[in-house]
Amino acid sequence: MSDQIKFIVDNLNKEPFRKNYNLITFDSLEPMQLLQVLNDVLAEIDPKQVVDIREEMPEQTAKRMLSLLGILKYKPPGNATDMSTFRQGLVIGSKPVIYPVLHWLLQRTNELKKRAYLARFLIKLEVPSEFLQDETVADTNKQYEELMEAFKNLHKECEQLKTSGFSTAEIRRDISAMEEEKDQLIKRVERLKKRVETVQNHQRMLKIARQLRVEKEREEFLAQQKQEQKNQLFHAVQRLQRVQNQLKSMRHAAADAKPESLMKRLEEEIKFNSYMVTEKFPKELESKKKELHFLQKVVSEPAMGHSDLLELESKINEINTQINQLIEKKMMRNEPIEGKLSLYRQQASIISRKKEAKAEELQEAKEKLANLEREVSVKTNQTREFDGTEVLKGDEFKRYVSKLRSKSTVFKKKHQIIAEFKAEFGLLQRTEELLKQRHENIQHQLQTVEEKKGISGYSYTQEELERVSALKTEVDEMKGRTLDDMSEMVKKLNSLVSEKKSALAPVIKELRQLRQKCQELTQECDEKKSQYDSCAAGLESNRSKLEQEVRGLREECLQEESRYHYTNCMIKNLEIQLRRATDEMKAYVSSDQQEKRKAIREQYTKNIAEQENLGKKLREKQKAVRESHGPNMKQAKMWRDFEQLMECKKQCFLKQQSQTPMGQSQIQLPFRPSSRRPYCSNCPSIILLVNQTENKVNTMCRFIIRNNCQ
């Protein structure tokens, strides 16, 4: 499980997810976040799955994910009960369910992308049969299936092209190289044309060269035709040889056959064919007709329900019971004549059945024989085409069989000799084992005798001494041989060295001369290289100058081209303006009032008159506003003063009311005898302000009354 989580975290941290998880943060994700991670992985496989699961119902999320996993052929572990737990775990975001799904998806992302892409086009829509009875629906469904097949073929071709090794970069490189070659060839052709134009009668020479090329192509075509005809002739000769061999074999078979055997064979074939024509084929034809009539009857009858089927079953059961009763009655009668006839009838039916079976077997055998003959002819043709040898027939095959028999007899004799050798080898092995056992017993007895005599190990030491002495003599002989060999080898090496010296002396002389030539050539190469470098530097400077000139000319060309496009645009604008002016003149000059009204001049004059009237009205309004501005400002100031006065009276009244005792029910205000106005002794500082404000209020009221009367 830890390896699985590690694999999931590593893949989620890579492109294109970039989640920046570690094992702890990933394991601490909530179920909703885990479902969102799963949805992001599915969205990478199928872009249609880009959804925020917080804005989606859990049932819809589970249904969508299950459908996509079904398309991707994900098989959850377990049986049917585990399937229900898998669905529940997918709904609630269970880790034991989602971790295996993420591991499976991230293992094969590219493969699943391809499968999801193909599923969009290759999942067939199931159309009910009752809708397919409509012609338009059936045609549309047929077109849909054809398009699906075409998409399959195109996708296969695309995959083959992708896996064929051809990349777009290589193809573009090839195309660019071919275009460069094409430009070079065009330049070369132009150069050759310029050269040829200076030659006299160059048109005639070009014509002759063209005719020569045509004749060469014709010669190649004729040579190809000649080769094809040679191949056809070779195949025809081989076919003729095969036919001649078949004719020889058929003649040989006909020469060996007798007329009586041929007649018997023909009579048997005639009997068989007459039986097939008169008995078997008519019966089969009659049975097929009955079957066809029964099927037509079934088709013509209306559709049967469950009740009709029950009635038919009851009728069949009744008829079966009647048949059984009739058979029992017939058996109760037990008439001897009918019993004998029944035996003969049974025998005749058995014979007819056997005859039919044998005829069918014979027909099958003939068909098999024809198929085998066809296969034999095909195989013989193949062997002739491969090896050029023919299949053995007749006497050649007999001779080949006789050779095989003689070889088989020789093989049997050799096999018998090998068996005798094997038996003798077994006997020798057995004798060797017996001798080894006897030797071991003798050695054991010898050791016991030596122990008794007190000289144990004597025989072993003696054998070792003999063996060591023998080895010493062999080593001495080897030393003598090696010394002789070494002396001979030294002599040979000396002779070889002298021979090589004598053989290498002229070569060394030639080598000295070649070294001198090499030094001279290196000097020439250095001189030529310096000349080449100077020439290349000059050409490079000329090339850079030419490139600068070409760059300047290209810039001039671009400027001229932009100027040309600008002048074209200006000409088009002037043409449009000229067309408008001519249309305006036509409308202005014409006698039709409607055309005149359409003219721009009339529209502008009308707009000017409307704007002038509007300006007059606005000036009059401005004048009235200027005249009434001063009185209106005075009136506003008087209203503000009146408001201030009333606020002051309110404050005085509230202050005086708060100073009176609670038992007094009426407020006694002193009045001045001259003014009849209430006087507040507590606020003498505002008397002047009050008088001024009352005067202003009176004047304002008079002004308002006068304006209203006017």
Side-chain angles (χ1 to χ4, degrees):
M1 192 70 178
S2 60
D3 295 335
Q4 194 179 52
I5 296 170
K6 189 177 179 182
F7 176 77
I8 293 166
V9 170
D10 291 338
N11 281 279
L12 288 174
N13 291 332
K14 294 178 183 176
E15 290 287 339
F17 303 107
R18 292 184 179 179
K19 295 292 184 181
N20 294 324
Y21 288 140
N22 55 29
L23 294 175
I24 297 167
T25 55
F26 181 74
D27 194 49
S28 62
L29 289 176
E30 295 180 358
M32 189 65 71
Q33 294 174 344
L34 201 59
L35 281 172
Q36 186 63 51
V37 171
L38 177 59
N39 191 74
D40 293 340
V41 176
L42 292 173
E44 179 63 26
I45 292 167
D46 187 6
K48 289 182 180 179
Q49 306 294 323
V50 180
V51 177
D52 190 357
I53 60 171
R54 292 175 294 182
E55 300 174 358
E56 193 179 23
M57 296 295 290
E59 292 80 8
Q60 293 178 356
T61 304
K63 187 177 179 182
R64 179 170 56 78
M65 289 181 178
L66 284 169
S67 63
L68 182 59
L69 290 172
I71 291 168
L72 299 176
K73 296 182 180 178
Y74 174 70
K75 293 180 180 178
N79 49 18
T81 58
D82 292 335
M83 282 296 293
S84 62
T85 57
F86 175 75
R87 291 193 189 94
Q88 291 174 2
L90 195 61
V91 171
I92 63 174
S94 177
K95 291 179 182 178
V97 173
I98 291 176
Y99 283 174
V101 178
L102 283 171
H103 186 262
W104 186 80
L105 292 172
L106 293 169
Q107 269 184 335
R108 44 183 71 83
T109 308
N110 295 323
E111 180 187 350
L112 296 175
K113 279 183 183 178
K114 183 178 176 183
R115 192 175 291 172
Y117 169 73
L118 293 174
R120 289 166 54 193
F121 305 102
L122 297 181
I123 292 176
K124 192 174 179 182
L125 296 173
E126 295 295 333
V127 183
S129 58
E130 56 266 19
F131 293 119
L132 288 173
Q133 292 175 1
D134 190 2
E135 292 182 357
T136 56
V137 176
D139 294 336
T140 307
N141 190 28
K142 189 176 179 182
Q143 290 177 2
Y144 169 67
E145 290 176 354
E146 289 174 356
L147 289 170
M148 193 178 287
E149 292 296 326
F151 174 77
K152 286 180 183 177
N153 296 326
L154 288 171
H155 183 70
K156 285 179 183 176
E157 290 177 3
C158 180
E159 291 296 324
Q160 287 175 0
L161 288 171
K162 283 181 181 177
T163 56
S164 61
F166 294 107
S167 64
T168 55
E170 291 178 358
I171 293 167
R172 284 174 183 166
R173 262 189 257 112
D174 294 339
I175 290 167
S176 62
M178 289 168 75
E179 286 178 352
E180 289 177 359
E181 288 178 1
K182 182 183 175 183
D183 295 335
Q184 290 175 3
L185 288 170
I186 290 166
K187 290 178 183 177
R188 195 179 295 170
V189 169
E190 288 177 354
R191 271 193 250 112
L192 290 171
K193 278 184 180 179
K194 288 178 182 178
R195 278 189 203 168
V196 170
E197 284 175 357
T198 59
V199 180
Q200 294 180 355
N201 298 325
H202 65 277
Q203 294 290 338
R204 185 166 169 274
M205 292 173 74
L206 287 171
K207 189 176 180 181
I208 292 166
R210 200 177 295 115
Q211 289 177 358
L212 179 63
R213 192 185 74 250
V214 171
E215 291 297 327
K216 281 185 177 179
E217 289 176 356
R218 189 180 173 192
E219 185 180 0
E220 289 176 358
F221 179 70
L222 291 172
Q224 190 176 0
Q225 278 189 344
K226 184 179 178 182
Q227 187 64 33
E228 289 177 356
Q229 288 177 0
K230 280 183 179 179
N231 293 330
Q232 290 176 1
L233 180 63
F234 179 70
H235 291 306
V237 169
Q238 285 185 345
R239 203 179 299 119
L240 179 63
Q241 289 177 357
R242 287 198 295 271
V243 171
Q244 286 177 354
N245 292 326
Q246 288 178 2
L247 182 63
K248 284 180 183 178
S249 62
M250 290 174 71
R251 282 178 180 173
H252 186 70
D256 293 338
K258 294 180 181 178
E260 294 176 356
S261 61
L262 291 172
M263 288 296 292
K264 283 182 181 178
R265 201 182 306 155
L266 289 170
E267 284 176 357
E268 288 175 357
E269 288 181 359
I270 289 164
K271 284 180 183 179
F272 175 72
N273 291 326
S274 61
Y275 167 73
M276 295 291 286
V277 170
T278 55
E279 293 184 10
K280 188 177 180 184
F281 287 156
K283 287 180 181 177
E284 289 181 356
L285 183 63
E286 189 176 356
S287 64
K288 294 290 182 185
K289 282 181 179 178
K290 286 180 181 178
E291 189 175 356
L292 180 63
H293 179 68
F294 176 71
L295 292 171
Q296 287 176 352
K297 189 176 179 182
V298 170
V299 170
S300 61
E301 288 180 356
M304 299 175 71
H306 187 66
S307 60
D308 298 330
L309 291 171
L310 291 173
E311 288 180 1
L312 286 172
E313 285 180 357
S314 62
K315 286 181 182 179
I316 289 164
N317 292 326
E318 289 176 359
I319 291 165
N320 286 328
T321 53
Q322 290 176 5
I323 290 166
N324 291 326
Q325 288 175 3
L326 291 170
I327 290 166
E328 287 176 358
K329 287 179 182 179
K330 187 176 179 183
M331 290 175 71
M332 290 294 289
R333 289 177 187 171
N334 199 8
E335 293 180 358
I337 297 168
E338 288 184 358
K340 290 179 182 179
L341 289 171
S342 65
L343 289 172
Y344 292 127
R345 284 172 187 162
Q346 288 176 359
Q347 289 176 359
S349 65
I350 290 164
I351 290 164
S352 63
R353 280 196 220 98
K354 285 183 179 179
K355 194 174 182 182
E356 289 176 358
K358 293 296 179 184
E360 288 177 357
E361 288 177 1
L362 183 61
Q363 186 70 21
E364 289 176 358
K366 283 189 174 182
E367 289 176 357
K368 285 182 182 178
L369 181 62
N371 292 325
L372 290 170
E373 286 177 352
R374 265 189 252 109
E375 289 179 0
V376 167
S377 63
V378 170
K379 295 293 183 184
T380 51
N381 292 328
Q382 288 179 356
T383 52
R384 286 188 191 119
E385 288 176 358
F386 288 141
D387 300 334
T389 58
E390 296 181 358
V391 181
L392 299 175
K393 291 182 180 179
D395 295 335
E396 292 178 356
F397 186 72
K398 288 178 181 177
R399 284 196 292 274
Y400 180 69
V401 170
S402 63
K403 283 181 182 179
L404 284 176
R405 284 175 182 169
S406 62
K407 286 180 180 180
S408 66
T409 53
V410 173
F411 171 74
K412 287 177 182 177
K413 288 178 181 178
K414 299 291 184 186
H415 190 67
Q416 189 175 1
I417 291 166
I418 289 166
E420 290 175 357
F421 281 133
K422 283 181 178 179
E424 190 172 356
F425 178 71
L427 289 170
L428 291 171
Q429 278 184 340
R430 180 63 180 164
T431 52
E432 185 182 3
E433 288 175 358
L434 293 171
L435 290 171
K436 282 180 179 178
Q437 288 178 0
R438 192 176 296 172
H439 178 68
E440 288 176 357
N441 294 325
I442 290 166
Q443 287 288 334
H444 186 66
Q445 289 176 3
L446 183 62
Q447 287 176 2
T448 53
V449 170
E450 286 176 354
E451 288 176 356
K452 287 179 181 178
K453 299 291 184 181
I455 51 171
S456 61
Y458 175 75
S459 61
Y460 177 73
T461 53
Q462 190 174 2
E463 287 176 358
E464 285 291 325
L465 289 170
E466 289 175 357
R467 189 172 64 78
V468 168
S469 62
L471 285 170
K472 186 175 180 299
T473 53
E474 287 178 359
V475 168
D476 293 335
E477 290 175 359
M478 287 280 290
K479 284 180 180 177
R481 277 195 233 107
T482 51
L483 288 170
D484 295 334
D485 292 336
M486 287 173 72
S487 61
E488 288 178 1
M489 191 180 290
V490 169
K491 288 178 182 178
K492 285 180 181 179
L493 288 171
N494 290 325
S495 62
L496 283 170
V497 167
S498 60
E499 288 175 0
K500 294 290 181 182
K501 282 182 180 178
S502 61
L504 288 171
V507 176
I508 290 165
K509 289 180 181 179
E510 291 178 359
L511 182 62
R512 287 171 184 169
Q513 294 174 0
L514 290 171
R515 280 178 181 171
Q516 291 177 358
K517 284 183 181 180
C518 179
Q519 289 175 358
E520 293 173 359
L521 290 171
T522 51
Q523 289 176 359
E524 287 182 4
C525 179
D526 293 333
E527 291 174 359
K528 298 287 183 183
K529 190 176 181 183
S530 62
Q531 292 175 3
Y532 170 76
D533 291 335
S534 61
C535 183
L539 292 171
E540 186 68 26
S541 62
N542 292 329
R543 187 175 69 82
S544 61
K545 289 178 183 178
L546 290 171
E547 283 180 353
Q548 288 177 359
E549 290 177 1
V550 168
R551 202 177 295 114
L553 292 170
R554 280 181 179 172
E555 289 176 357
E556 288 178 3
C557 180
L558 290 171
Q559 289 175 1
E560 295 295 332
E561 189 175 355
S562 62
R563 196 178 298 151
Y564 167 73
H565 289 303
Y566 176 71
T567 50
N568 276 336
C569 292
M570 292 298 292
I571 288 164
K572 286 180 181 178
N573 290 328
L574 291 171
E575 286 176 355
I576 291 164
Q577 290 176 3
L578 184 62
R579 199 180 301 118
R580 284 181 182 175
T582 51
D583 293 337
E584 181 68 21
M585 287 294 294
K586 285 179 183 178
Y588 185 70
V589 173
S590 66
S591 58
D592 192 1
Q593 294 295 326
Q594 291 183 354
E595 290 290 332
K596 280 188 175 182
R597 286 173 188 169
K598 289 180 181 177
I600 297 169
R601 184 173 180 178
E602 292 293 329
Q603 292 177 3
Y604 278 127
T605 52
K606 187 178 177 182
N607 289 332
I608 289 164
E610 289 177 356
Q611 294 297 323
E612 285 178 353
N613 293 328
L614 185 62
K616 285 179 182 179
K617 290 179 182 179
L618 290 170
R619 281 194 293 274
E620 290 174 358
K621 198 171 182 181
Q622 186 181 8
K623 187 177 179 183
V625 168
R626 280 178 181 172
E627 290 175 354
S628 62
H629 178 67
N632 288 335
M633 291 299 290
K634 287 180 181 179
Q635 188 178 358
K637 188 177 180 185
M638 290 165 75
W639 277 110
R640 284 196 295 273
D641 293 340
F642 178 72
E643 185 181 359
Q644 191 176 3
L645 176 63
M646 297 305 291
E647 185 67 29
C648 182
K649 284 185 176 183
K650 179 183 174 185
Q651 288 177 2
C652 291
F653 177 75
L654 292 171
K655 195 171 183 181
Q656 187 177 5
Q657 192 176 7
S658 62
Q659 289 176 0
T660 56
M662 294 299 292
Q664 197 173 354
S665 62
Q666 190 175 3
I667 300 168
Q668 298 293 329
L669 294 174
F671 287 94
R672 286 187 180 182
S674 60
S675 60
R676 305 293 295 173
R677 296 191 184 100
Y679 175 74
C680 181
S681 61
N682 295 321
C683 51
S685 61
I686 60 169
I687 294 169
L688 180 62
L689 179 61
V690 169
N691 292 327
Q692 291 176 359
T693 306
E694 283 183 353
N695 292 328
K696 288 179 182 178
V697 169
N698 292 328
T699 55
M700 185 179 66
C701 291
R702 283 197 296 272
F703 179 73
I704 291 166
I705 291 163
R706 189 173 64 247
N707 287 335
N708 290 329
C709 291
Q710 288 177 0

